[in-house]
Amino acid sequence: MHPLQCVLQVQRSLGWGPLASVSWLSLRMCRAHSSLSSTMCPSPERQEDGARKDFSSRLAAGPTFQHFLKSASAPQEKLSSEVEDPPPYLMMDELLGRQRKVYLETYGCQMNVNDTEIAWSILQKSGYLRTSNLQEADVILLVTCSIREKAEQTIWNRLHQLKALKTRRPRSRVPLRIGILGCMAERLKEEILNREKMVDILAGPDAYRDLPRLLAVAESGQQAANVLLSLDETYADVMPVQTSASATSAFVSIMRGCDNMCSYCIVPFTRGRERSRPIASILEEVKKLSEQGLKEVTLLGQNVNSFRDNSEVQFNSAVPTNLSRGFTTNYKTKQGGLRFAHLLDQVSRVDPEMRIRFTSPHPKDFPDEVLQLIHERDNICKQIHLPAQSGSSRVLEAMRRGYSREAYVELVHHIRESIPGVSLSSDFIAGFCGETEEDHVQTVSLLREVQYNMGFLFAYSMRQKTRAYHRLKDDVPEEVKLRRLEELITIFREEATKANQTSVGCTQLVLVEGAGLKLLGSSDSPASASQLSKRSATDLCGRNDGNLKVIFPDAEMEDVNNPGLRVRAQPGDYVLVKITSASSQTLRGHVLCRTTLRDSSAYC
Ligand code: 5AD
Ligand code: SF4
């Protein structure tokens, strides 16, 4: 075992607290691979041995100070088409993928799906190939989540399975490399390398540009990590490779990180400080997606509506920030920059046939200009995610959410007045530190009062580093957390069913995504039974403006723009559907006609 070589890298700007203004980047030697072979021809591992020795001596010479200065330059200055210059201890061709196959597996939220596309875009440019077959992979990368303990446990379990794959790998193949990307790499850092020796690389959420280098180091049999957080990395110039099968909709990342420091949340520690992508590059991506025929874009970020593009100097005057009434921030008020309302306005003008959604917002950043715009623009969906987390003002204060129950409820009323028919969803945490039965009852009553259309409910999971970990006691027993969670789920479902049933009898605009449930019915003709039933009994599914799934039988219909023409709905079509039934998660109906977003106005 060679000694640990660790280089401390000082980030350009010193930020606050444990978000690591000083972070680390380490290259470390791992166990030597056995290279014994009984044949005259050197095994791939033996061939690599020479290269590894050569690499070790180059590494011993070490990266220079100049190299670190260079690698700390602003990422947005680099062109996406450029493959990075190699550091002094690597040759240019060692940075290239040389047709090695990468298998990417994503865990957690939509941000991670987007990160997977960014990571893949970077690796593709370096000459890697992608595979969806695990057995074929030369590199396996897990894009991980740390938000709750359970999410991390899933990854540890997966790593145990992958370990078997690595040890069983025939010597005739290049050694399998395994990497942990994203939040878990950032949170646990070298603990992962120590605990699971078969992990070769770690890359935090701001280090994906470094993947070719990390993999090149791993090729030489060493572990490599970059968990440096950045103040300005937005991957603005990296065009994510969209891999969704339906290709009717896409996610566009507009900002990264979070400054809110809610007391329970690990995100500010794993994803770093809030920073926004310049508007020009967002618009460019949305235009490209529109040209590709996509019909829906979801603007993505940890706090989308806190968006603030400071890249254009002329907009950096000291204009104060309007917050939602009764809401405060945990940080010093920010000023200037182009805000979310401006971005939303610009994005919604790109293509009037393209639906615009956004997730996940913070309730504090809904000034009237944002609500007004959502109301006015036909193609901005009337759907707002409004994470409440708790219905008790006492718990909200302990969570450091910056609002009381009353302010939240007032905002809900204000939103409903400003955007009639708006669909609301929320996140809730059951069993936060110090939550009493009375607090829980308050949350239940908020669910009843607001009657959300969709909800995401979680049992509290204590995370190290957070304020709650340091200052509060995780004192609600696990079984009580789960019982409260169950109660919240039951009540949420009852209320969502009621809310969704108000759509029955209405005609709604649905963006078709593809096949719905396949109902395998019986047939008189045994020979063709399965084919017939598969084809004729297929339902289609799509989403209404509120993002609720709508299922309807695949039937011929009229095309409003081509009278007399009978058509069947295809993915990416807008159709009008008469709603006939509703549950807590789905609407059902029958299709009336094919139309366009502009031609349809709110029906009900
Ligand atoms: N435990 C449980 N749920 C959490 N969330 C964030 N941190 C935790 C935690 N420690 C939930 C919040 C947030 C959603 C993305 O995950 O509800 O809005
Ligand atoms: Fe976490 Fe709060 Fe930031 Fe959301 S707003 S990511 S819950 S710290």
Side-chain angles (χ1 to χ4, degrees), residues 50 57 73 89 171 181 185-186 258 287 295 335 385 412 437 515 519 523:
S57 54
S73 70
Y89 49 87
R171 287 176 166 277
L181 273 49
E186 195 62 56
C258 177
K287 277 179 197 148
K295 292 293 177 55
Q335 294 189 325
H385 186 59
V412 168
E437 238 13 73
L519 305 171
S523 162

Side-chain angles (χ1 to χ4, degrees), residues 76 230-236 253-259 272-282 300-312 334 336-340 343 365:
Q76 283 160 27
S230 160
L231 293 178
D232 54 12
E233 178 62 277
T234 59
Y235 300 107
S253 167
I254 66 162
M255 53 86 65
R256 295 174 75 85
C258 177
D259 283 356
R273 300 219 45 183
E274 199 171 289
R275 67 224 101 122
S276 296
R277 179 177 170 186
I279 285 188
S281 101
I282 299 171
L300 197 61
Q302 247 84 44
N303 283 280
V304 264
N305 53 342
S306 311
F307 179 87
R308 184 186 303 271
D309 173 10
N310 287 316
S311 64
E312 296 184 37
K334 298 176 188 174
L338 292 168
R339 303 300 320 276
F340 187 61
L343 173 72
D365 283 311

Side-chain angles (χ1 to χ4, degrees), residues 487-507:
E487 281 175 22
L488 295 184
I489 291 172
T490 307
I491 286 143
F492 156 73
R493 284 206 180 123
E494 283 171 20
E495 295 303 320
T497 307
K498 284 188 219 158
N500 296 339
Q501 271 169 352
T502 61
S503 300
V504 175
C506 298
T507 299

Side-chain angles (χ1 to χ4, degrees), residues 305-344:
N305 53 342
S306 311
F307 179 87
R308 184 186 303 271
D309 173 10
N310 287 316
S311 64
E312 296 184 37
V313 184
Q314 71 268 33
F315 297 110
N316 280 341
S317 57
V319 180
T321 298
N322 293 336
L323 294 179
S324 313
R325 221 175 313 149
F327 285 66
T328 57
T329 56
N330 284 332
Y331 49 79
K332 200 168 142 246
T333 315
K334 298 176 188 174
Q335 294 189 325
L338 292 168
R339 303 300 320 276
F340 187 61
H342 180 82
L343 173 72
L344 209 49

Side-chain angles (χ1 to χ4, degrees), residues 98-379:
R98 288 165 285 170
Q99 312 279 305
R100 290 196 185 183
K101 291 188 177 150
V102 183
Y103 179 90
L104 285 145
E105 205 164 81
T106 314
Y107 295 82
C109 65
Q110 194 57 46
M111 284 300 285
N112 274 7
V113 177
N114 197 255
D115 277 14
T116 307
E117 290 165 354
I118 287 169
W120 170 232
S121 177
I122 289 164
L123 289 174
Q124 193 180 33
K125 283 205 181 78
S126 283
Y128 284 87
L129 301 176
R130 184 144 181 197
T131 178
S132 53
N133 178 351
L134 192 65
Q135 305 301 326
E136 238 180 46
D138 303 309
V139 177
I140 298 173
L141 300 177
L142 308 183
V143 184
T144 61
C145 171
S146 281
I147 196 119
R148 282 168 288 274
E149 175 69 35
K150 213 170 133 201
E152 286 192 358
Q153 197 46 55
T154 312
I155 310 284
W156 289 119
N157 295 345
R158 183 63 169 147
L159 279 175
H160 288 143
Q161 292 168 353
L162 296 179
K163 193 181 208 162
L165 206 64
K166 195 165 179 173
T167 29
R168 281 204 315 264
R169 183 125 166 142
R171 287 176 166 277
S172 53
R173 297 181 68 186
V174 292
L176 178 64
R177 304 298 177 201
I178 294 174
I180 298 290
L181 273 49
C183 290
M184 207 169 145
E186 195 62 56
R187 191 179 91 75
L188 296 172
K189 301 187 170 66
E190 62 183 335
E191 191 185 324
I192 298 180
L193 299 182
N194 294 335
R195 208 166 132 179
E196 280 300 346
K197 296 276 185 284
M198 53 93 177
V199 172
D200 299 285
I201 71 159
L202 291 184
D206 290 343
Y208 302 142
R209 285 179 203 272
D210 205 18
L211 281 171
R213 185 190 66 83
L214 295 172
L215 284 167
V217 172
E219 278 313 308
S220 69
Q222 303 183 49
Q223 290 178 305
N226 184 348
V227 288
L228 194 67
L229 283 173
S230 160
L231 293 178
D232 54 12
E233 178 62 277
T234 59
Y235 300 107
D237 58 320
V238 179
M239 204 50 80
V241 185
Q242 308 275 349
T243 48
S244 123
S246 79
T248 56
S249 56
F251 288 84
V252 172
S253 167
I254 66 162
M255 53 86 65
R256 295 174 75 85
C258 177
D259 283 356
N260 288 328
M261 303 295 274
C262 300
S263 64
Y264 51 83
C265 187
I266 190 71
V267 167
F269 302 91
T270 57
R271 287 192 161 264
R273 300 219 45 183
E274 199 171 289
R275 67 224 101 122
S276 296
R277 179 177 170 186
I279 285 188
S281 101
I282 299 171
L283 291 176
E284 194 190 323
E285 187 175 342
V286 173
K287 277 179 197 148
K288 273 200 188 125
L289 294 169
S290 156
E291 282 158 19
Q292 286 168 18
L294 270 84
K295 292 293 177 55
E296 184 180 81
V297 153
T298 304
L299 306 177
L300 197 61
Q302 247 84 44
N303 283 280
V304 264
N305 53 342
S306 311
F307 179 87
R308 184 186 303 271
D309 173 10
N310 287 316
S311 64
E312 296 184 37
V313 184
Q314 71 268 33
F315 297 110
N316 280 341
S317 57
V319 180
T321 298
N322 293 336
L323 294 179
S324 313
R325 221 175 313 149
F327 285 66
T328 57
T329 56
N330 284 332
Y331 49 79
K332 200 168 142 246
T333 315
K334 298 176 188 174
Q335 294 189 325
L338 292 168
R339 303 300 320 276
F340 187 61
H342 180 82
L343 173 72
L344 209 49
D345 171 44
Q346 296 286 303
V347 169
S348 62
R349 287 175 194 274
V350 169
D351 179 351
E353 286 300 308
M354 189 180 237
R355 272 181 171 174
I356 312 298
R357 302 186 191 277
F358 54 91
T359 195
S360 185
H362 192 287
K364 73 177 163 46
D365 283 311
F366 278 111
D368 284 349
E369 55 268 31
V370 171
L371 300 179
Q372 202 51 40
L373 198 66
I374 299 174
H375 172 58
E376 277 168 17
R377 287 291 150 82
D378 285 342
N379 65 336

Side-chain angles (χ1 to χ4, degrees), residues 379-430:
N379 65 336
I380 304 180
C381 292
K382 288 29 178 176
Q383 173 222 347
I384 293 185
H385 186 59
L386 209 59
Q389 312 298 359
S390 171
S392 150
S393 294
R394 210 183 62 80
V395 174
L396 287 169
E397 199 180 334
M399 289 176 161
R400 284 169 63 88
R401 289 290 291 174
Y403 53 86
S404 62
R405 177 201 172 97
E406 291 68 34
Y408 181 89
V409 170
E410 200 186 314
L411 178 64
V412 168
H413 289 313
H414 184 51
I415 289 176
R416 285 199 161 134
E417 276 158 21
S418 308
I419 312 169
V422 66
S423 159
L424 292 180
S425 57
S426 190
D427 293 348
F428 283 95
I429 297 177

